[in-house]
């Protein structure tokens, strides 16, 4: 009795959110929801695509978890997530997943007198800071990496995400890969953080780090640039110091094995290679394999096909990295799996 | 002759209207108001039912221990309400400690001491504070107050009160600016206009003869405020305080900006924390997993029960006070 009541209430909530989305978007517009990490580039693509074809995109950057919820509820045409869904989960819901674009997660700090790229950190040190084991900026472990940088004798104010986030997932995945102590915290889109302050979204973390002297946080690279935050260099798996850049993100992607992962669910953290940025992440698109509205699904895939073909330059302008050509070819081939209810491919 | 005819006609119109009113108007009005009442009760019942239903998986998994468990771990799916519950109560207490004395002072100044010319402008200015959206308080707290707190207020508190026995534990740790104390302060500012407005109204309701007699007997302003005005309108004052407390317990946006959103218990008021409503605002859209979502709904249920009890206690106090005044 209670159970069925709940279904009604949930259906009600969904109906209302669907209504909101429906009124927000024009009839012909594609609708999507999910990750905040790629929002700037999706918005730019949508703008250019609308000028070219007249078809708009209404993308709500509500976060990866929200994107997965919305696509499950079928209130949007596609979902977007930074944390790839597992193959079994994709199959049980009937979703196809493909990577759209890559970016870098960068550590940002607020220390007077320290300029972007002037400091460097390694994975182990970053993990120990986020575990609360390194408490002061002039800790020997940080000082050893940063000879010549004047580090204050002040406490580190750790800033993390307060909402569930694909960025958090990729960040924690990396820390777990480089520091065995991290297993006490685990890897997920939301964590029980041992220390620190929570900010909502990349914007929230940017604001807190920008406001709080002695703070450290992690954000998508584009947010660090837009907010003029002091990002640091990182020591990668090969022991080389790298700066976040298009080249170092591409280098990380080059060594990944895309073809064998179900749903292309490759996590690009801690990739080998002298030039690889260690906290690289791809962001993913989710669509149903069986479509009730094949013409709408075709519009969605057309848009992403256009983005793969023509969106590379725009992505690079915002410091996102387009997928390698070989991956794009694989993805486009797999789009034949997206079919209408009679089994005919929509494209 | 003519006059009596007109009077008769008027009388019969009056009668007809009365009869119509008696026969239809009154029952319609009664049904209308009754249906409003029933509707509100139905909505309340619906809210409780949905909260119970939504939080059922969490209540079944954790039992009553949910209320006093301090863990909030989405990875292992072990959830408890203690940290946000404590955060909600502590920030509200700070808000009341700041808001109530300030409001009392303001209201007394406006009704007793302030020159008549500027009374109204000041009262309007204070009421305008209530019209400021809560997100503005949050942004202002984050960008203006938090740096001031980090650089001046908190180092001062740590240096002066940090070593005092017992009180010291409340003022320990690194000064970050953002935290429970700042959230409480912002809440205090937010409830201030509400409490002040109510207090001003009830202070004005005190018969002038009471005040004048007290002044005539040589009472000071403080004695008038404390011994005459306050006892006379205790009920209204408590009502105003409850109104403010209700707002403080449920306030979301402003708190989310400045509390630090950390699920950790700390004795220090300078440490970051979280409240029930800010945890909901932060995590609800992104909660993946049924138990996580259910635990967040269960938090909502805890807040509902907490608010209910606070209001119930408030009502009891009111009743006792009214009896006291009557006796």
């Amino acid at each position: 009795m209670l159970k069925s009541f709940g279904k009604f209430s949930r259906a009600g909530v969904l109906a209302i959110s669907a209504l909101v989305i429906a009124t927000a978007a024009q009839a012909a517009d594609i609708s999507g929801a999910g990750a905040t990490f790629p929002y700037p580039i999706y918005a730019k693509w949508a703008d250019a695509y609308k000028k070219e074809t007249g078809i708009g995109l209404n993308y709500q950057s509500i976060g990866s978890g929200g994107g997965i919820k919305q696509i499950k509820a079928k209130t949007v045409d596609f979902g977007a997530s930074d944390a790839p869904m597992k193959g079994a989960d994709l199959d049980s819901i009937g979703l196809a997943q493909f990577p759209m674009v890559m970016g870098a997660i960068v550590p940002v700090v607020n220390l007077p007198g320290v300029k972007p790229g002037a400091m460097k950190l390694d994975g182990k040190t970053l993990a120990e800071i986020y575990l609360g084991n390194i408490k002061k900026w002039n800790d020997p472990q940080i000082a050893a990496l940063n000879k010549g940088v004047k580090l204050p004798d002040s406490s580190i104010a750790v800033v993390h995400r307060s909402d569930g986030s694909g960025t958090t997932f990729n960040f924690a995945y990396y820390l777990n890969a480089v520091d065995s102590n991290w297993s006490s915290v685990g890897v997920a889109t939301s964590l029980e953080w041992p220390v620190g302050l929570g900010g909502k979204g990349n914007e929230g973390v940017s604001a807190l780090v920008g406001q709080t002297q002695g703070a450290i946080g992690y954000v998508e690279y584009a947010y660090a640039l837009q907010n003029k935050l002091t990002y640091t260099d990182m020591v990668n798996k090969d022991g080389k110091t790298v700066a976040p850049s298009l080249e170092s993100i591409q280098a990380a992607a080059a060594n990944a094995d895309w073809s064998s992962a179900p749903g292309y669910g490759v996590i690009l953290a801690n990739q080998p290679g002298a030039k690889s940025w260690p906290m690289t992440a791809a962001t993913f698109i989710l669509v149903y394999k069986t479509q009730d509205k094949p013409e709408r699904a075709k519009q969605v895939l057309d848009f992403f096909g256009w983005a793969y073909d023509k969106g590379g330059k725009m992505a690079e302008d915002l410091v996102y990295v387009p997928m390698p050509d070989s991956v794009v070819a694989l993805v486009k081939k797999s789009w034949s799996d997206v079919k209408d209810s009679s089994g005919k491919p929509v494209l | 002759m003519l006059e009596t005819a007109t009077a008769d006609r008027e009388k019969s119109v009056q009668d007809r209207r009365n009869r119509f009113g008696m026969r239809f108007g009154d029952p319609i009005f009664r049904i209308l108001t009754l249906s409003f009442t029933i509707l509100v009760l139905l909505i309340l019942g619906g809210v409780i039912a949905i909260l119970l239903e939504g939080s059922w998986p969490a209540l079944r998994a954790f039992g009553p221990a949910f209320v006093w468990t301090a863990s909030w771990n989405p990875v292992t799916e072990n959830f408890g309400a203690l940290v946000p519950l404590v955060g909600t109560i502590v920030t509200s207490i700070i808000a009341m400690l700041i808001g109530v004395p300030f409001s009392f002072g303001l209201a007394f100044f406006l009704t007793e001491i302030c020159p008549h010319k500027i009374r109204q402008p000041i009262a309007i200015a204070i009421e305008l504070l209530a019209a400021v959206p809560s997100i503005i308080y949050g942004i202002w707290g984050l960008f203006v107050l938090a740096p001031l707190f980090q650089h001046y207020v908190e180092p001062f508190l740590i240096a002066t009160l940090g070593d005092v026995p017992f009180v010291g534990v409340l003022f320990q740790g690194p000064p970050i600016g953002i935290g429970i104390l700042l959230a409480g302060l912002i809440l205090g500012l937010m409830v201030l206009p509400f409490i002040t407005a109510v207090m001003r109204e009830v202070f004005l309701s005190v018969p002038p003869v009471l005040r004048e007699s007290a002044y005539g007997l040589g009472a000071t302003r403080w004695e008038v405020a404390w011994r005459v005005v306050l006892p006379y309108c205790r009920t209204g004052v408590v009502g105003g305080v409850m109104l403010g407390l209700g707002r403080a317990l449920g306030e979301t946006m402003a708190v989310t900006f400045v509390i630090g959103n950390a699920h950790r218990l700390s004795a220090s008021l300078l440490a970051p924390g979280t409240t029930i409503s800010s945890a909901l605002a932060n995590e609800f859209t992104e909660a993946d997993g049924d138990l996580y979502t259910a635990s967040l709904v269960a938090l909502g249920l805890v807040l509902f029960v907490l608010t209910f009890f606070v209001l119930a206690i408030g009502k009891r106090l009111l009743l006792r006070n009214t009896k006291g005044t009557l006796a």
Side-chain angles (χ1 to χ4, degrees):
Chain A
M1 181 64 201
L2 266 176
K3 194 94 195 161
S4 62
F5 195 15
K7 279 201 188 105
F8 276 121
S9 70
R10 229 166 284 147
V13 170
L14 293 177
I16 289 165
S17 48
L19 253 177
V20 171
I21 292 159
T23 46
Q26 283 169 12
D29 286 0
I30 309 165
S31 67
T36 53
F37 171 91
Y39 172 62
I41 181 60
Y42 289 176
K44 195 166 182 181
W45 281 341
D47 199 37
Y49 192 66
K50 172 125 192 168
K51 275 181 196 139
E52 232 180 275
T53 63
I55 297 169
L57 166 72
N58 172 39
Y59 183 76
Q60 309 169 57
S61 70
I62 53 174
S64 299
I68 291 171
K69 267 191 191 169
Q70 298 254 346
I71 189 72
K72 274 187 188 167
K74 300 197 177 182
T75 54
V76 287
D77 299 327
F78 70 89
S81 172
D82 296 334
M85 286 178 80
K86 291 198 185 77
D89 294 340
L90 289 170
D91 291 343
S92 70
I93 308 166
L95 288 172
Q97 173 177 270
F98 51 90
M100 202 56 228
V101 70
M102 295 176 293
I105 300 164
V106 298
V108 287
V109 298
N110 179 346
L111 288 173
V114 176
K115 294 202 168 53
M119 263 186 83
K120 67 174 164 181
L121 293 168
D122 59 15
K124 180 95 179 156
T125 309
L126 199 53
E128 292 299 315
I129 290 172
Y130 270 85
L131 283 167
N133 297 335
I134 294 179
K135 291 186 166 64
K136 294 251 176 187
W137 279 110
N138 59 357
D139 187 278
Q141 212 171 323
I142 303 176
L145 285 165
N146 295 287
K147 296 199 172 72
V149 180
K150 210 168 153 263
L151 294 164
D153 176 31
S154 63
S155 301
I156 303 176
V158 172
V159 181
H160 54 71
R161 291 282 289 269
S162 61
D163 50 341
S165 147
T167 312
T168 297
F169 172 84
N170 281 295
F171 183 67
Y173 187 94
Y174 171 64
L175 298 186
N176 195 43
V178 293
D179 189 342
S180 56
N181 293 338
W182 192 262
S183 60
S184 61
V185 179
V187 178
T189 52
S190 333
L191 303 169
E192 184 169 39
W193 297 93
V195 286
L197 305 165
K200 190 165 165 59
N202 271 305
E203 315 85 298
V205 171
S206 303
L208 280 180
V209 172
Q211 275 308 301
T212 314
Q213 219 174 74
I216 186 168
Y218 59 92
V219 291
E220 204 280 320
Y221 187 35
Y223 285 89
L225 292 179
Q226 276 164 18
N227 293 296
K228 299 189 172 56
L229 295 172
T230 307
Y231 57 84
T232 73
D233 291 351
M234 289 289 295
V235 178
N236 66 13
K237 196 175 185 181
D238 287 15
K240 299 283 193 301
T241 303
V242 284
S245 67
L246 295 177
E247 295 77 46
S248 61
I249 300 169
Q250 262 157 357
N255 296 316
D257 178 14
W258 293 94
S259 55
S260 63
Y264 308 97
V266 175
I267 296 163
L268 294 170
N270 207 28
Q271 291 287 332
K275 287 181 177 164
S276 297
W277 179 253
M279 292 191 287
T280 303
T283 184
F284 298 86
I285 298 293
L286 299 161
V287 290
Y288 278 100
K289 281 185 173 169
T290 307
Q291 293 282 346
D292 318 328
K293 289 180 281 181
E295 64 291 343
R296 176 57 70 90
K298 182 179 179 305
Q299 284 182 341
V300 172
L301 295 183
D302 279 345
F303 170 73
F304 288 118
W306 174 90
Y308 277 139
D309 297 338
K310 300 193 179 170
K313 176 73 181 58
M314 280 179 259
E316 286 178 2
D317 288 347
L318 292 177
V319 219
Y320 291 92
V321 176
M323 302 308 297
D325 291 341
S326 57
V327 179
V328 171
L330 280 172
V331 169
K332 284 189 172 174
K333 225 173 95 192
S334 70
W335 280 352
S336 58
D337 291 346
V338 180
K339 295 167 180 165
D340 67 9
S341 44
S342 67
K344 202 167 111 275
V346 298
L347 271 187
Chain B
M1 191 63 192
L2 202 67
E3 270 174 18
T4 46
T6 320
D8 278 353
R9 212 176 310 136
E10 264 179 13
K11 193 164 177 291
S12 78
V13 167
Q14 198 95 36
D15 280 353
R16 233 179 301 144
R17 198 185 293 145
N18 277 348
R19 245 177 287 138
F20 178 82
M22 291 298 270
R23 199 178 297 166
F24 299 109
D26 210 33
I28 289 175
F29 187 65
R30 208 179 57 206
I31 292 168
L32 202 64
T33 49
L34 180 69
S35 60
F36 287 167
T37 313
I38 291 174
L39 184 69
V40 168
L41 288 179
L42 276 180
I43 291 173
L44 182 70
V47 167
I48 296 173
I50 297 281
L51 278 176
L52 277 174
E53 195 276 332
S55 59
W56 186 243
L59 298 180
R60 199 177 41 197
F62 306 118
F66 180 77
V67 179
W68 60 82
T69 304
S71 168
W72 189 264
N73 192 332
V75 184
T76 57
E77 298 217 303
N78 185 19
F79 299 103
L82 186 66
V83 178
L85 184 61
V86 168
T88 305
I89 294 172
V90 172
T91 49
S92 295
I93 290 175
I94 297 173
M96 288 298 119
L97 287 177
I98 295 166
V100 173
F102 257 84
S103 303
F104 179 76
L106 270 173
F108 190 75
F109 176 79
L110 283 176
T111 49
E112 300 286 327
I113 301 167
C114 184
H116 274 276
K117 254 190 205 161
I118 54 170
R119 255 177 213 192
Q120 207 54 29
I122 294 181
I124 291 172
I126 292 169
E127 273 161 30
L128 271 180
L129 277 179
V132 177
S134 62
I135 195 155
I136 303 293
Y137 280 101
I139 292 173
W140 176 69
L142 177 62
F143 288 104
V144 181
L145 273 191
L148 285 178
F149 256 57
Q150 186 185 14
H151 296 300
Y152 305 106
V153 179
E154 292 189 352
F156 172 77
L157 287 175
I158 293 167
T160 51
L161 296 172
D163 297 326
V164 178
F166 304 113
V167 187
V169 290
L170 296 176
F171 303 99
Q172 304 248 311
I176 319 169
I178 284 152
I180 289 186
L181 185 64
L182 184 59
L185 176 69
I186 294 273
L187 277 180
L189 287 177
M190 291 179 72
V191 299
L192 190 136
F194 291 90
I195 307 181
T196 307
V198 174
M199 282 194 183
R200 203 172 74 92
E201 288 303 318
V202 295
F203 285 0
L204 285 173
S205 74
V206 176
V209 63
L210 280 182
R211 263 174 289 180
E212 278 154 21
S213 335
Y215 283 127
L217 289 170
T220 62
R221 284 197 163 118
W222 170 250
E223 283 164 342
V224 171
W226 200 246
R227 302 245 172 102
V228 179
V229 173
L230 196 59
Y232 185 85
C233 45
R234 223 182 302 167
T235 315
V237 169
V238 173
V241 171
M242 285 298 146
L243 186 72
L245 186 56
R247 182 169 167 120
L249 285 171
E251 175 50 43
T252 310
M253 266 344 278
V255 174
T256 307
F257 269 74
V258 295
I259 198 166
N261 305 311
H263 279 280
R264 269 190 314 281
L265 268 192
S266 171
S268 173
L269 296 179
L270 310 183
T274 188
T275 67
I276 291 176
S277 44
S278 71
L280 286 174
N282 270 301
E283 297 171 42
F284 205 81
T285 51
E286 284 285 318
D288 38 13
D290 293 338
L291 198 56
Y292 193 178
T293 313
S295 299
L296 284 168
V297 180
L299 274 188
L301 183 67
V302 170
L303 181 61
F304 189 92
V305 174
L306 176 71
T307 317
F308 178 81
F309 271 104
V310 166
L311 288 180
I313 292 169
K315 269 268 178 279
R316 267 197 84 86
L317 280 177
L318 274 179
L319 281 176
R320 211 196 302 157
N321 279 338
T322 342
K323 272 186 211 140
T325 318
L326 289 177

